[in-house]
């Protein structure tokens, strides 16, 4: 006889969960300002 | 499976910074006007591979004027970037470089320099004196009076004016004109110049001796003139390729 397996509730986020401590990379350009912006 | 293309260079990557510093040294080393410029920001970088270990790099750079005259032997790292309140001057440069086997060379460079907007300065510092245009009659008068005053007192060679670097006029709390100008030693002593100043010519390139003067003339409440000139001694000049213009008008100029 077939029994239906219990499937855990879908993860809250349908996206791939982000690893802990994920920091988005800064955009490659423009670079940082070394003195001041005018 | 072909290797994935390398990730695009970021503007703060060490390789980008090294290329930008190389470009800034090239620009300063091949300009004969105004002041040295320092790197303020790498706005963009694009790398176009030409083959193994052979890349063309396009850089967009933001530079800021320093207080070092372009002919000063002071290393760029010891030059102070002119502060915002001193009426900063910005340089925008597009530079094309080639990198072959790790060696960089500049193929082309185009720069535009312009002073910060007067409104921006006055917003932050209402009493800060602002850059005057260099052919302002008050400015020309102070430079002429200052150089005559210096030459009348020096026991060294007679100095001739090379160019006015910058000038500011303030009206309070006193009415004063502050000027900076580049000078060159001539083949005359100051004494000889009194007899025949027309014969006094700048020294030939292999003996050239350039310097820099600052002069402040207070006009009101009382007249007072302060002049200070420093000569650098003879230096071997770099080949003249005028790349970064002087801000002779607060609106700036293009050069390439």
């Amino acid at each position: 006889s077939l029994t239906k397996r219990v499937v855990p509730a879908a993860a809250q986020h349908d996206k791939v969960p982000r690893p802990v401590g994920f920091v988005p990379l800064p955009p490659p350009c423009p670079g940082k300002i070394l003195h001041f912006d005018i | 499976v072909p290797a994935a293309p390398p990730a695009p260079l970021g503007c703060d990557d060490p390789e980008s910074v090294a290329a930008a510093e190389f470009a800034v040294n090239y620009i300063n080393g091949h300009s004969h006007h105004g002041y040295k410029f320092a790197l303020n920001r790498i706005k963009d970088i694009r790398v176009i591979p030409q083959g193994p270990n052979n890349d063309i790099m396009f850089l967009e750079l933001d530079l800021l004027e320093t207080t070092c005259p372009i002919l000063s032997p002071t290393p760029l790292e010891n030059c102070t970037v002119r502060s915002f309140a001193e009426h900063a001057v910005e340089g925008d440069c597009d530079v094309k470089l080639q990198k072959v086997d790790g060696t960089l060379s500049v193929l082309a460079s185009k720069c535009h320099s312009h002073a910060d907007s007067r409104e921006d300065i006055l917003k932050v510092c209402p009493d800060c004196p602002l850059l005057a245009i260099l052919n302002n009659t008050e400015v020309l008068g102070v430079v002429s009076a200052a150089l005559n005053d210096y030459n009348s007192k020096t026991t060294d060679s007679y100095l001739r004016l090379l160019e006015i670097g910058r000038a500011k006029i303030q009206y309070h709390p006193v009415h004063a004109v502050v000027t900076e100008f580049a000078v060159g030693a001539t083949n005359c002593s100051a004494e000889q110049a009194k007899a025949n100043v027309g014969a006094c010519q700048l020294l030939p390139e292999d003996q050239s001796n350039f310097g820099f003067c600052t002069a402040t003339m207070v006009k009101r409440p009382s007249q007072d003139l302060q002049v200070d000139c420093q000569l650098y001694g003879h230096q071997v000049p770099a080949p003249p390729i005028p790349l970064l213009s002087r801000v002779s008008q607060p609106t700036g100029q293009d050069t390439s």
Side-chain angles (χ1 to χ4, degrees):
Chain A
S1 66
L2 290 179
T3 58
K4 187 175 181 187
R5 278 182 300 116
V6 174
V7 177
Q12 287 307 310
H13 308 289
D14 53 358
K15 287 178 237 164
V16 173
R18 288 182 164 177
V20 174
F22 176 83
V23 176
L25 288 175
C29 289
K32 60 178 179 282
I33 293 174
L34 301 177
H35 300 284
F36 54 84
D37 199 10
I38 68 171
Chain B
V1 174
L9 265 186
C11 279
D12 289 329
D13 289 356
E15 187 179 348
S16 310
V17 173
E21 286 171 352
F22 183 88
V24 171
N25 284 330
Y26 179 91
I27 289 166
N28 284 324
H30 291 80
S31 175
H32 275 201
H33 293 292
Y35 297 85
K36 296 180 195 260
F37 276 74
L39 180 65
N40 187 37
R41 180 186 219 182
I42 302 172
K43 278 199 320 201
D44 194 18
I45 182 167
R46 283 180 299 117
V47 180
I48 301 175
Q50 305 294 298
N53 297 319
N54 179 355
D55 292 327
I56 296 288
M57 304 170 92
F58 291 93
L59 282 174
E60 278 184 50
L61 304 176
D62 268 351
L63 310 183
L64 283 175
E65 184 182 88
T66 70
T67 56
C68 288
I70 198 73
L71 295 176
S72 160
T74 308
L76 181 61
E77 54 272 17
N78 296 351
C79 294
T80 307
V81 168
R82 209 176 287 284
S83 72
F84 180 83
E86 287 176 284
H87 207 155
V89 173
E90 183 183 31
D92 297 317
C93 290
D94 294 326
V95 188
K96 179 180 179 183
L97 300 103
Q98 184 161 27
K99 187 169 186 178
V100 178
D101 298 333
T103 303
L104 285 163
S105 58
V106 172
L107 301 181
S109 170
K110 174 174 168 54
C111 293
H112 169 87
S113 61
H114 58 92
D116 192 11
S117 81
R118 307 162 73 83
E119 297 72 26
D120 284 358
I121 306 281
L122 294 176
K123 214 183 294 174
V124 173
C125 176
D127 291 338
C128 282
L130 299 176
L131 277 180
I133 55 175
L134 297 181
N135 57 5
N136 173 296
T137 47
E138 268 196 289
V139 169
L140 297 175
V142 168
V143 169
S144 173
L147 198 47
N148 288 338
D149 180 74
Y150 180 85
N151 278 323
S152 68
K153 295 171 180 168
T154 185
T155 55
D156 292 334
S157 69
Y158 178 79
L159 300 183
R160 274 200 183 281
L161 175 67
L162 290 181
E163 64 169 13
I164 301 174
R166 74 177 2 225
K168 293 195 285 190
I169 302 175
Q170 76 176 51
Y171 295 97
H172 21 259
V174 297
H175 179 187
V177 180
V178 181
T179 64
E180 298 180 7
F181 50 96
V183 292
T186 65
N187 57 351
C188 293
S189 68
E191 205 51 41
Q192 291 166 328
K194 286 176 184 153
N196 177 12
V197 72
C200 303
Q201 300 305 319
L202 286 176
L203 294 173
E205 192 136 338
D206 59 340
Q207 304 160 42
S208 62
N209 184 0
F210 298 127
F212 198 68
C213 301
T214 56
T216 300
M217 178 178 278
V218 175
K219 299 207 161 182
R220 272 196 308 279
S222 59
Q223 185 105 3
D224 178 45
L225 175 61
Q226 298 290 328
V227 188
D228 176 48
C229 292
Q230 304 291 329
L231 286 177
Y232 304 133
H234 179 59
Q235 305 161 71
V236 179
I241 303 181
L243 284 167
L244 199 59
S245 68
R246 301 174 33 246
V247 180
S248 63
Q249 304 295 340
T251 52
Q253 284 179 346
D254 276 315
T255 54
S256 62

